[in-house]
Amino acid sequence: MSIATPAQTPVVRADRVGAQSLVDRTSDYVEMCRPRIAVMTMAAVSAGFILASPIIIHWGLLAVTLAGILLLVAASSILNQVLEVRTDARMQRTTGRPLISGRISRLEASLAGLLFALSGIGILWSFTNPVTTVAGAGTLLCYVLAYTPLKIRSSLCTTVGALPGAMPPVIGWLAAGGAAGSGAWSLFALLFTWQFPHFLAIGWIYRHEYEQAGLRMLPSFSDGGRRTGIVATIYAAAFVPVSLLPSYAGLTGRLYFAVALALSGLYFAATLRFALNRTTRRGRDLLLVSLLILPALLLVMVCEFLYLTALG
């Protein structure tokens, strides 16, 4: 047995420990803010803002709007997890979250969520307009106080959750000064309808964990997914004409119309394929299709709008 000399003894500097702790803390908060959802939300807000803008787009206002909405998204995600500690602890996919593992306390997370919420509302109030601020605050409240508690009570939570989920492009539209007319409602309808096959696919993939946690994310857990497939197919069929509404509202032209018709048809086909044979693999295929279709539609919509605007 040897005795460690001073040269052999590891020395850990306090500033390194503090820096590492700060990095870990930041990583935990980034995880709780759900970056992928935040990115998708920012894209939808940007699309709504651009589509409602006059010839000259106020990029500075868009940046401030995105900052305010990003804080509200972070707040809603954090507060959602604060309220769902018990159910998250029962699911394997969520047991590693900061609140469940004890890396961050519920009190600290609650205070952070409230701080983010107030900051986001303050930014929107100061730099956009009252209608945008009310829409943003209402979306946050609907997600946290209506959708979240309803998840353990009724499968209607999916419908209620689709309401705040469809608001980002509308908020962007309002922030740019657009009126709540046919253009804004066509964007709302697009995102609202798109969400059902998307979230039902997620519900089916994690159905055993949701059922174990007592979350009623599917129309039924006891019929082998038959009702889930039917509901998903109905909304996927409705999404075909709904996806064309931006063209009828005058936001886009023939290119978007053709692309929307093709992609919504693909979405319907993927949903029908899942409904006819409800395997986890087909649920994942449907989820992937849904994640590709929405950004593609928004991108084509914005690009064609900018092109048509440039032509005058």
Side-chain angles (χ1 to χ4, degrees):
M1 185 172 72
S2 61
I3 300 175
T5 65
Q8 294 171 310
T9 303
V11 177
V12 181
R13 292 179 54 180
D15 59 346
R16 287 190 179 181
V17 174
Q20 185 62 37
S21 177
L22 179 59
V23 170
D24 292 341
R25 205 66 161 186
T26 302
S27 176
D28 285 337
Y29 272 101
V30 169
E31 179 184 344
M32 286 199 297
C33 292
R34 297 172 180 164
R36 286 181 291 183
I37 294 177
V39 169
M40 185 75 80
T41 302
M42 296 303 99
V45 171
S46 300
F49 188 97
I50 293 172
L51 291 169
S53 296
I55 296 177
I56 299 177
I57 299 173
H58 196 325
W59 296 107
L61 179 58
L62 173 58
V64 172
T65 301
L66 291 177
I69 297 302
L70 184 60
L71 286 167
L72 292 182
V73 171
S76 63
S77 295
I78 292 173
L79 295 175
N80 168 267
Q81 291 171 66
V82 168
L83 294 174
E84 292 191 330
V85 167
R86 291 183 180 179
T87 53
D88 282 351
R90 299 173 186 169
M91 295 189 291
Q92 184 177 356
R93 62 187 290 260
T94 53
T95 52
R97 287 180 173 176
L99 285 174
I100 307 304
S101 63
R103 301 195 302 272
I104 293 179
S105 70
R106 291 184 72 179
L107 176 60
E108 179 185 337
S110 299
L111 293 175
L114 291 174
L115 177 61
F116 288 161
L118 293 175
S119 300
I121 292 171
I123 289 175
L124 294 180
W125 180 265
S126 300
F127 296 99
T128 61
N129 53 65
V131 177
T132 302
T133 306
V134 171
T139 299
L140 167 69
L141 293 174
C142 182
Y143 185 85
V144 175
L145 300 182
Y147 166 66
T148 299
L150 195 60
K151 289 167 71 174
I152 61 174
R153 292 179 172 85
S154 172
S155 61
L156 287 175
C157 64
T158 303
T159 302
V160 174
L163 295 173
M167 282 300 294
V170 179
I171 295 174
W173 181 281
L174 296 173
S182 60
W185 286 114
S186 69
L187 296 176
F188 179 88
L190 177 74
L191 264 74
F192 181 84
T193 312
W194 167 84
Q195 289 178 84
F196 285 86
H198 170 78
F199 282 118
L200 289 174
I202 295 175
W204 181 253
I205 294 168
Y206 297 106
R207 61 193 181 279
H208 299 304
E209 294 191 40
Y210 285 142
E211 186 176 18
Q212 180 179 343
L215 296 175
R216 304 190 177 188
M217 304 302 292
L218 297 177
S220 174
F221 285 103
S222 60
D223 64 350
R226 179 175 173 273
R227 200 174 306 174
T228 298
I230 292 173
V231 173
T233 303
I234 290 173
Y235 277 98
F239 184 72
V240 176
V242 168
S243 69
L244 306 178
L245 290 178
S247 290
Y248 289 108
L251 300 179
T252 60
R254 295 178 180 178
L255 175 62
Y256 172 81
F257 189 94
V259 171
L261 192 60
L263 291 182
S264 61
L266 175 63
Y267 198 21
F268 174 76
T271 306
L272 182 60
R273 181 172 178 266
F274 161 73
L276 293 175
N277 187 9
R278 298 170 296 280
T279 63
T280 300
R281 173 62 183 274
R282 290 195 175 184
R284 293 189 185 279
D285 290 344
L286 173 55
L287 178 60
L288 177 60
V289 170
S290 71
L291 291 173
L292 293 175
I293 280 178
L294 183 61
L297 287 175
L298 293 176
L299 180 62
V300 173
M301 192 185 304
V302 169
C303 288
E304 186 174 27
F305 173 81
L306 293 174
Y307 174 73
L308 294 174
T309 302
L311 290 180

